[in-house]
Amino acid sequence: MKVKKSIFLVIFLSLVFFLGPNVLHGRQEKETSQEKEKLKLHHEIVVTATRLETPALEIGNAIVVIPAEELRKQGLATVAEALAQLTHCFLTQNGGAGAAASVLLRGANSEHTLVLIDGVEVNDPVSPSRAYDLSHLLLADVERIEILPGAQSPLYGSDAMAGVIHIITKKRDLHRFTLASEAGSFSTLHTNMSIGGKLKGISYRLSGARFQTGGVSAASSFYAGNKEKDGYTNTSASGHLFWPLGSQKEIELNFRYLKARTDLDNYGGPYGDDPNNQQDMDTFLGKVNYRSLSLGSRWEQRISLSFVLNSRENSNPEDATHPAEREEGRFKSCFFQFDWQNNWFLTENHTLTFGVEQEQEEAESDYLWLSAYGRDRSYFPAKKATSTGIYIQDHAKLSSSFFLTAGLRADHHSRAGLAVTYRLAQSYFLEATSTKFRASLGSGFKAPSLYQLYAPATFWGPIGNASLKPEKNFSWDIGLEQILFHQRVIIQLNYFFMRFRNLIQFDYASGYQNVGRAETWGWQLEAYMKPFSFVRTNLNFGWVKARDLTHQTPLLRRPDFQAKAEFEIKFSPSWKLLFSVTRVGEREDIDYSNWIGVRVKMPGFTLARAALILWPENKFSFHLRLENLTNCRYELVKGYGTPGFSVYTGFAFSF
Ligand SMILES: [Ca+2]
Ligand SMILES: [Ca+2]
């Protein structure tokens, strides 16, 4: 009933806004947006691949850019949902919205991808492998997401082994006010708003969002005993201040806060249900950035200081089905980052970037589990590690069509010692045939996490190992991008290869050891086509092989094949229709439902979605989206639930 009410409310508000005067102004914006689409890909400015604003044409890496505005207009609420639209990575989630989400980029483990929010590293120091849980990040204030696959440690240091996911938020909005809301299946209601403007020369943007859903059962309801739905609420706020100090200097302030509560189950598979197992998450991120130009605009300095505080509490009291079982957990971490980046615009053709980065991570946790079998406590006392990195890079325009980026970096971790990494990326554009050839190679590393270094031994044996060394990898890729028929067709083909060594793996006898080796390789084929001015299609194929070389087994949860076909029909400026089909291939997982984990083959699945957007170019828009059209029954992680067919509707409004 609650959902129906919400849907009516959304439709009502939509009509009120539609009948308002604002809709009349929308038409003029049409041209600029079409212009933008024409310039797609090739003149886009990206920042992640060189730490500089650089046209995509000059980038030797296979960078993927997700424009968030487009996804928001369709009603998507989270960064995880946005990443799930790609065939470049695979997103796994232990249940519905709010459940732990990992992104497996180019077949690598999730902890081997570094996640940045406006340049701030957010991989969680208290997570056993310092991975980032993507489930709580809302799309509301995101401008775009840049994904830079491949070993990128020379740019960003530790953790950037399989690539970097950079979430770039909106800073200066054209709009003074925005409001968007959506309601739909599973009692989902999502609302976000922002205000922006200028006050005494200082630009500001403040935004807030609230997402709540009744959810699906985390332990899949396809198995016996799982009837209880697991809901999720998320309240997020973010702000940005921009203060120009004359024409050559500026200060920026960023903050982001999120508070989330996720209902959990005890495990996936049969009888995993638990009515009162829940997790509370609090995160605060802050950043101050100073930027100046000197020596006749030849020398740019960016000095930034940032921090991230994470706090997570798990609580699972006794209940009717588990009268003797209780769980309590507290996890805390903080991360500080200082970066001094210098860009020397030596000549028109060379930009030299060099700098120093200092980081400190701190974490502690306490976890208690009581059951009929006894009492188990895992206590991790507060531990700290620091690391210092120095980096240098030359981005060179060797001719009007040949670009080269070369970088070198040395990082020193307070416990694990030194890691030196390098990268080389080149891009060549053959004007005569509109063909871009690109190639890149690089090395990466990941310093051991605090838990891997210092987790105290238990009755069962050692865990942490203070003499661990950094994990290392090497990657290369080549690609081709062909533009045909005046950008009506763009085809991209990429091949990549990555080899990992010194991987930290847990051994029951000796705790964590640098013993693992793995290899991943694959192809990515993308075709963008605009056969008519009102039709746009995107075809994406990703093939990945990911192997554990130590045990000679496929890495878990990596589909060997993913394909996606997307069609967009825009009949007039007042409505467009979107339809997409995604096919995910077979992959291996572990089934824990019979005490001992057994390797199982997970079947492939097909998901179809459709979205109707009314007045997509207007200040006011209205959408209706249908997810999992065929009500496909599938699992991302063995035993965990996923939503079936669902319907959402909402509006967005700005002035
Ligand atoms: Ca449940
Ligand atoms: Ca319980």
Side-chain angles (χ1 to χ4, degrees):
M1 286 307 104
K2 218 170 157 188
V3 189
K4 273 192 190 148
K5 250 191 214 164
S6 308
I7 291 176
F8 281 127
L9 185 69
V10 167
I11 292 173
F12 174 74
L13 285 173
S14 305
L15 288 172
V16 169
F17 282 122
F18 177 54
L19 297 173
N22 298 290
V23 75
L24 299 172
H25 302 287
R27 297 279 146 89
Q28 300 102 337
E29 290 169 14
K30 184 185 75 185
E31 287 310 311
T32 48
S33 160
Q34 276 177 354
E35 229 16 72
K36 245 188 256 161
E37 181 153 49
K38 222 195 299 176
L39 298 175
K40 196 179 148 38
L41 290 173
H42 300 280
H43 302 269
E44 200 160 28
I45 302 292
V46 294
V47 296
T48 312
T50 52
R51 295 176 76 123
L52 297 163
E53 287 86 4
T54 311
L57 182 73
E58 299 181 12
I59 302 296
N61 294 90
I63 194 158
V64 184
V65 181
I66 309 176
E69 184 69 30
E70 175 60 32
L71 298 178
R72 258 199 312 272
K73 284 219 162 166
Q74 293 170 30
L76 296 193
T78 66
V79 169
E81 282 174 299
L83 294 173
Q85 304 295 318
L86 300 177
T87 58
H88 308 76
C89 55
F90 185 59
L91 190 102
T92 67
Q93 197 156 21
N94 293 22
S102 308
V103 68
L104 310 175
L105 179 60
R106 283 191 166 175
N109 290 350
S110 70
E111 73 265 23
H112 292 144
T113 294
L114 178 68
V115 181
L116 304 172
I117 300 177
D118 292 323
V120 183
E121 297 180 17
V122 290
N123 289 43
D124 189 357
V126 82
S127 142
S129 56
R130 207 193 302 109
Y132 182 64
D133 177 1
L134 274 157
S135 60
H136 306 298
L137 209 52
L138 298 182
L139 266 185
D141 67 336
V142 177
E143 182 178 277
R144 64 183 195 281
I145 304 169
E146 292 186 5
I147 298 164
L148 183 69
Q152 310 295 351
S153 289
L155 285 165
Y156 300 104
S158 179
D159 304 1
M161 292 174 91
V164 176
I165 295 180
H166 194 177
I167 292 135
I168 297 159
T169 62
K170 274 193 181 176
K171 300 198 173 82
R172 274 159 287 179
D173 211 332
L174 293 170
H175 307 297
R176 294 186 65 84
F177 176 80
T178 64
L179 172 72
S181 190
E182 187 193 61
S185 300
F186 315 113
S187 310
T188 304
L189 183 64
H190 171 216
T191 305
N192 65 71
M193 61 182 291
S194 74
I195 52 165
K198 221 172 200 182
L199 210 70
K200 293 186 176 161
I202 301 174
S203 312
Y204 65 90
R205 188 177 193 279
L206 298 168
S207 86
R210 165 95 179 165
F211 177 89
Q212 64 187 70
T213 178
V216 295
S217 178
S220 173
S221 56
F222 296 130
Y223 298 93
N226 301 328
K227 296 255 184 286
E228 174 255 2
K229 287 184 175 158
D230 293 286
Y232 176 61
T233 56
N234 178 321
T235 309
S236 296
S238 66
H240 188 270
L241 291 178
F242 176 80
W243 187 13
L245 308 165
S247 60
Q248 306 279 295
K249 288 180 189 132
E250 61 186 43
I251 290 181
E252 275 182 77
L253 280 171
N254 262 3
F255 82 86
R256 167 177 288 273
Y257 174 71
L258 85 80
K259 190 174 184 61
R261 171 169 287 183
T262 315
D263 287 344
L264 304 170
D265 281 333
N266 293 344
Y267 45 83
Y271 303 99
D273 242 3
D274 190 295
N276 55 10
N277 187 351
Q278 67 181 35
Q279 176 183 287
D280 284 292
M281 174 90 196
D282 269 277
T283 296
F284 190 80
L285 178 154
K287 177 178 181 178
V288 52
N289 189 53
Y290 168 81
R291 190 167 160 176
S292 75
L293 277 173
S294 38
L295 303 179
S297 297
R298 282 268 170 96
W299 178 26
E300 182 192 8
Q301 291 185 77
R302 296 181 197 178
I303 301 172
S304 72
L305 196 61
S306 40
F307 66 91
V308 187
L309 308 175
N310 287 308
S311 152
R312 199 170 84 223
E313 279 190 22
N314 282 66
S315 134
N316 182 6
E318 297 89 347
D319 57 76
T321 8
H322 312 91
E325 273 175 45
R326 188 155 68 93
E327 263 179 296
E328 273 163 35
R330 285 187 307 108
F331 304 82
K332 265 188 172 172
S333 70
C334 49
F335 177 77
F336 297 94
Q337 184 182 352
F338 166 79
D339 186 28
W340 178 26
Q341 178 177 339
N342 297 270
N343 301 320
W344 280 86
F345 305 103
L346 290 178
T347 63
E348 255 183 33
N349 302 330
H350 284 275
T351 304
L352 197 66
T353 298
F354 57 93
V356 185
E357 198 170 57
Q358 174 78 28
E359 293 176 359
Q360 179 177 306
E361 56 179 339
E362 237 179 292
E364 66 173 304
S365 69
D366 195 359
Y367 174 83
L368 186 73
W369 188 66
L370 292 162
S371 77
Y373 302 102
R375 181 180 185 273
D376 194 17
R377 187 183 180 200
S378 165
Y379 175 63
F380 180 66
K383 290 286 178 190
K384 201 188 275 189
T386 54
S387 74
T388 310
I390 50 169
Y391 54 89
I392 183 161
Q393 171 190 273
D394 183 21
H395 179 64
K397 298 171 193 178
L398 300 176
S399 72
S400 63
S401 55
F402 188 34
F403 310 93
L404 194 68
T405 312
L408 190 68
R409 175 164 169 144
D411 286 88
H412 187 269
H413 183 273
S414 56
R415 182 74 225 186
L418 188 71
V420 177
T421 50
Y422 56 88
R423 72 190 277 267
L424 205 58
Q426 70 86 22
S427 160
Y428 178 71
F429 188 68
L430 189 61
E431 192 99 47
T433 59
S434 293
T435 314
K436 176 179 164 179
F437 300 95
R438 47 151 299 270
S440 77
L441 63 83
S443 62
F445 81 99
K446 177 179 173 59
S449 73
L450 291 170
Y451 188 82
Q452 289 165 339
L453 286 169
Y454 302 117
T458 66
F459 167 77
W460 306 101
I463 301 178
N465 173 0
S467 53
L468 287 173
K469 294 280 161 251
E471 299 183 323
K472 299 242 165 110
N473 83 330
F474 166 76
S475 83
W476 63 270
D477 58 16
I478 48 169
L480 184 95
E481 197 172 308
Q482 180 64 52
I483 304 168
L484 298 161
F485 312 113
H486 307 283
Q487 300 213 5
R488 278 175 178 272
V489 177
I490 301 169
I491 295 169
Q492 286 189 54
L493 180 66
N494 287 303
Y495 174 82
F496 70 86
F497 175 85
M498 292 200 282
R499 180 170 284 165
F500 297 80
R501 64 191 168 88
N502 282 6
L503 292 179
I504 298 170
Q505 289 182 345
F506 184 71
D507 181 272
Y508 282 98
S510 52
Y512 283 111
Q513 299 291 337
N514 286 105
V515 290
R517 287 183 306 125
E519 210 169 72
T520 75
W521 70 97
W523 295 87
Q524 190 73 38
L525 174 65
E526 291 163 59
Y528 165 87
M529 284 168 283
K530 205 167 187 227
F532 309 101
S533 62
F534 61 96
V535 180
R536 185 179 62 80
T537 70
N538 260 310
L539 302 175
N540 283 273
F541 304 91
W543 291 268
V544 173
K545 281 273 175 250
R547 285 192 75 75
D548 174 339
L549 295 179
T550 330
H551 304 98
Q552 288 299 329
T553 48
L555 291 173
L556 296 176
R557 295 177 203 136
R558 272 67 163 183
D560 45 11
F561 171 70
Q562 286 190 90
K564 183 180 180 193
E566 186 178 71
F567 307 90
E568 185 190 285
I569 306 165
K570 195 195 265 174
F571 280 112
S572 75
S574 59
W575 72 280
K576 74 177 180 184
L577 190 68
L578 221 115
F579 177 74
S580 77
V581 187
T582 305
R583 173 76 193 168
V584 173
E586 288 186 337
R587 61 241 173 263
E588 291 194 6
D589 207 332
I590 296 202
D591 183 354
Y592 287 102
S593 57
N594 292 320
W595 294 104
I596 305 165
V598 182
R599 244 177 207 262
V600 286
K601 197 131 214 172
M602 304 279 283
F605 60 88
T606 306
L607 293 179
R609 64 188 296 265
L612 170 73
I613 306 166
L614 297 178
W615 318 291
E617 308 298 345
N618 267 338
K619 290 180 174 172
F620 175 83
S621 71
F622 170 84
H623 73 267
L624 175 75
R625 69 182 167 110
L626 309 174
E627 300 287 347
N628 195 356
L629 279 172
T630 58
N631 198 22
C632 170
R633 175 181 165 160
Y634 69 103
E635 287 172 341
L636 296 171
V637 179
K638 182 69 190 167
Y640 286 90
T642 50
F645 172 71
S646 40
V647 188
Y648 303 89
T649 179
F651 70 89
F653 166 73
S654 58
F655 70 81

